[in-house]
Amino acid sequence: MTRSSTALYTDQYELTMLDAARRSGTADKRVTFEVFARTLPDGRAHGVFCGLGRVVDAIERFLFGPDELDWLARRRIVSDDTLDWLAEYRFSGNVYAYREGEVYAANSPLVTVEGTFGETVLLETIILSILNHDSAVAAAAELLVAAADGRPIIEMGSRRIDADAAVAAARAAWIAGFASTSNLEAGRRYGLPTAGTAAHAFTLASPDERSAFASQIAAQSANTTLLVDTYDSEQGIRNAIAVAGPSLGAIRIDSGELVEEARRARKLLDELGASSTRVVITGDLDEAALADLADAPVDGYGVGTAVVTGGGAPTAGLIYKLVAAGERPVAKLSPGKATRAGRKWAWRLLDHAGRAVGEDVATVPDAPTEPARALQVDVIRDGIAVHRPGVEEVRAHHRSAVAELPADGALPVRFRETMPGEHE
């Protein structure tokens, strides 16, 4: 797979700041940036940190080759001297972060980036682009998984967003508990389980519904899922069982009043002797729809738009802010956009039963005295990636982090020894 450069997946002002900083001498000063959210989206008790693996890959590919340099030169974005500097650019700093899949609170120091101002300022846009998208999708997916209450969900939102974003969304949804994805590139790239059978177009293109079902079963076996609502759901179910027999794997319903459709489908399947045939519901489902279907005889769901667009919160609201210039803690004091100065460390506070009771954030690396687990791990050290878990491990960590949460899912934050801010 081609590993193209990510260097121009950025905002112009990152490069113009670099150019000015090189002229003033600021570019070589050691600094610390942090990624955090000032607030959580309305109604969210916590966020889900997702996209770290993609960030590590993007940083490794943040290189200025001949094509990138030629384009910048022709546009006169930066000086010739800075172009020469960019030609040799390799991130050589350190990155610390929460484990991917971790849950977090507002003001949690999710990512800490240390290095020179020149090398760290360039990474702002690519880091936020990935983390804001993936964390928004993962947070929506977690809520949908909770609403499904153990029933599997297929992620099927690829046609609702940009093609590349769809692959990332499938990864994020799976990390947060979805059972599979319809996106084959996500399956190839990340090893995710994939699922999908047929759409209404297949039935409409066939001579009739029974012949469509017969062709599908011949190709995929009777364990397939037949879409039964192209014309009439009840007749579709009768046709499906007539063709496949009572061992049909599943039927899918994509329209109508879904609670009643599910109940009628289950009753009819049982009457036809297909008691093991599962009922799968799709059709613009969201968290509220899954809650409505909680008591219906449904075996699984397919969800698209609601998950890939963040369930009403398409960004996690993460920001990338300078918190230290050398040893000097710095902070914005702008009204409504103030930040907390100084590099920070964080711990998940636990009760004696191992249940999360909050988050401890401090400007010193000393652990709290009460039971707690450290939240940040080394990710990149001196420019070399040292933390690269697979998606299975990330998914497992998310599951354990959610299981640790209190009933309301909230994580009150306690700040320790926070230093007074100075202007950036």
Side-chain angles (χ1 to χ4, degrees):
M1 185 163 52
T2 303
R3 289 170 57 83
S4 58
S5 169
T6 59
L8 296 185
Y9 283 60
T10 192
D11 292 313
Q12 178 168 314
Y13 81 164
E14 315 291 13
L15 294 180
T16 54
M17 280 193 287
L18 169 68
D19 204 25
R22 293 195 68 253
R23 293 174 185 271
S24 69
T26 304
D28 295 328
K29 291 184 177 179
R30 302 291 295 183
V31 299
T32 303
F33 281 94
E34 283 180 351
V35 175
F36 59 94
R38 286 193 178 95
T39 61
L40 298 175
D42 290 343
R44 302 284 172 90
H46 57 264
V48 179
F49 180 57
C50 195
L52 180 62
R54 296 209 306 127
V55 164
V56 171
D57 177 68
I59 291 174
E60 290 180 327
R61 294 188 290 120
F62 202 92
L63 307 170
F64 293 84
D67 290 344
E68 291 76 29
L69 294 168
D70 178 66
W71 187 85
L72 291 172
R74 285 188 285 108
R75 294 293 298 269
R76 304 303 300 167
I77 302 294
V78 295
S79 65
D80 290 342
D81 186 53
T82 295
L83 284 174
D84 292 340
W85 187 93
L86 290 172
E88 302 299 320
Y89 176 84
R90 303 289 187 279
F91 178 71
S92 63
N94 303 317
V95 175
Y96 311 91
Y98 282 33
R99 292 181 182 275
E100 189 169 10
E102 186 61 77
V103 294
Y104 66 87
N107 295 299
S108 296
L110 297 175
V111 182
T112 302
V113 183
E114 297 176 342
T116 65
F117 180 80
E119 66 178 342
T120 55
V121 74
L122 291 181
L123 299 179
E124 174 185 14
T125 302
I126 190 67
I127 288 175
L128 291 181
S129 175
I130 292 170
L131 295 183
N132 269 313
H133 173 267
D134 290 20
S135 296
V137 172
E142 184 201 292
L143 292 174
L144 288 160
V145 168
D149 196 24
R151 295 166 176 169
I153 312 178
I154 304 168
E155 182 281 311
M156 47 195 301
S158 295
R159 64 193 65 189
R160 302 302 185 216
I161 52 173
D162 172 77
D164 289 329
V167 180
R171 177 185 182 274
W174 193 80
I175 283 169
F178 272 46
S180 57
T181 178
S182 65
N183 190 289
L184 292 180
E185 177 58 24
R188 181 179 79 98
R189 190 179 303 179
Y190 300 116
L192 309 186
T194 60
T197 53
H200 293 108
F202 178 70
T203 301
L204 292 169
S206 301
D208 54 56
E209 192 171 56
R210 285 198 178 201
S211 62
F213 291 166
S215 297
Q216 184 175 330
I217 289 166
Q220 300 174 16
S221 86
N223 195 43
T224 191
T225 299
L226 297 178
L227 180 58
V228 297
D229 70 335
T230 302
Y231 304 114
D232 175 79
S233 294
E234 180 178 339
Q235 188 58 50
I237 292 170
R238 292 184 183 279
N239 287 338
I241 300 306
V243 172
S247 61
L248 174 64
I251 62 161
R252 176 163 75 95
I253 299 172
D254 189 58
S255 60
E257 205 294 306
L258 295 175
V259 173
E260 289 306 312
E261 290 283 352
R263 288 176 177 154
R264 285 195 292 266
R266 180 74 272 155
K267 183 175 184 292
L268 180 56
L269 287 169
D270 291 345
E271 289 173 355
L272 296 172
S275 58
S276 64
T277 299
R278 294 172 292 109
V279 176
V280 177
I281 300 294
T282 60
D284 290 326
L285 300 179
D286 57 16
E287 188 183 349
L290 297 192
D292 290 342
L293 287 159
D295 296 325
V298 177
D299 299 288
Y301 303 106
V303 177
T305 304
V307 66
V308 299
T309 59
T315 174
L318 302 178
I319 56 179
Y320 184 92
K321 293 298 177 184
L322 191 72
V323 296
E327 298 299 317
R328 179 172 62 94
V330 298
K332 286 178 65 172
L333 299 180
S334 309
K337 291 192 173 184
T339 57
R340 292 178 180 269
R343 195 258 201 246
K344 300 166 198 74
W345 290 260
W347 293 263
R348 181 65 33 80
L349 296 171
L350 307 169
D351 63 19
H352 291 289
R355 181 73 64 179
V357 295
E359 202 155 297
D360 179 270
V361 177
T363 52
V364 291
D366 304 326
T369 56
E370 55 264 67
R373 64 177 175 87
L375 291 169
Q376 282 197 338
V377 297
D378 289 10
V379 177
I380 296 176
R381 189 181 303 132
D382 298 328
I384 305 299
V386 295
H387 177 77
R388 205 191 295 269
V391 289
E392 290 277 2
E393 183 179 340
V394 173
R395 178 179 164 100
H397 182 75
H398 174 70
R399 189 183 305 117
S400 66
V402 170
E404 182 181 82
L405 286 169
D408 65 1
L411 292 167
V413 178
R414 179 185 72 188
F415 289 95
R416 268 191 305 128
E417 302 184 32
T418 303
M419 300 179 183
E422 300 179 22
H423 289 289
E424 287 185 7

